Amino acid sequence: MPLHVPPAPAPALRSVRTALGSPTAVREARTPSLTSARTPLTPELPLPVHVLERVTPRGAAPRTRLTGWRFLIRGGDRAVAAGEAMLTPDGWAFSHFFEGPYLASTERALRQAEALPTPYQPRLLSVPELYMLTLWLHADIAADASSELFAPGDLLVPLAPAPPGIAAHRPHRVADLLPMLTLRLTPGPALKATA
């Protein structure tokens, strides 16, 4: 089933395109694939990047916050880097370019998602406290990309490298994975007593 990729804000895309055209921005990014590219580089497949807000006690709905848009930078037939735009008080602005394991892992997870029988809206969900990034497959394909709540039927696909004990590239229902994350993020009794 095809993924329903939400359109990125035009200023976010424009900021990444401008940075790609800037030799200074590319050189300062220190991403070998960008500096050695022999083919034209194009930003594709915009994904909204959300951060999981502090996990709340049981019963409260977890929330996310849109922090940016990530574009896979294609050079020839493959993604060679990613570029990200972030929301600032003045609007969308270029943030940074990067390479690394999450790039190939994102592409793999997107291919897996396209093979699922249900349509989804792809997003990225970051859990900074666990150094974890997931592909968030949002079941409400018509939702605004900035919507902060999970929908029934949403899936989370941890990207590699995933934290110990969490399998990368295995889709989890949000209702199943969030309790595991909550246990890892909630301080133990000894830590609560000293806080």
Side-chain angles (χ1 to χ4, degrees), residues 54-135:
R54 198 76 172 126
V55 176
T56 55
R58 286 182 186 249
R63 298 185 76 86
T64 69
R65 177 176 43 88
L66 178 68
T67 59
W69 280 84
R70 185 169 298 172
F71 299 83
L72 296 182
I73 308 299
R74 192 154 305 277
D77 62 347
R78 66 184 185 91
V80 297
E84 197 160 307
M86 65 180 189
L87 190 57
T88 70
D90 296 324
W92 291 100
F94 173 72
S95 174
H96 62 283
F97 291 118
F98 62 93
E99 296 180 28
Y102 286 132
L103 186 62
S105 188
T106 300
E107 285 192 302
R108 177 180 170 188
L110 288 166
R111 282 191 305 271
Q112 288 176 305
E114 286 175 340
L116 295 173
T118 307
Y120 290 100
Q121 181 188 93
R123 302 171 174 196
L124 293 172
L125 178 68
S126 173
V127 186
E129 295 91 344
L130 296 178
Y131 302 100
M132 180 179 185
L133 186 64
T134 71
L135 178 64

Side-chain angles (χ1 to χ4, degrees), residues 139-162:
D140 183 357
I141 60 173
D144 184 278
S146 65
S147 63
E148 301 173 337
L149 297 174
F150 295 102
D154 282 7
L155 298 177
L156 296 176
V157 182
L159 300 180

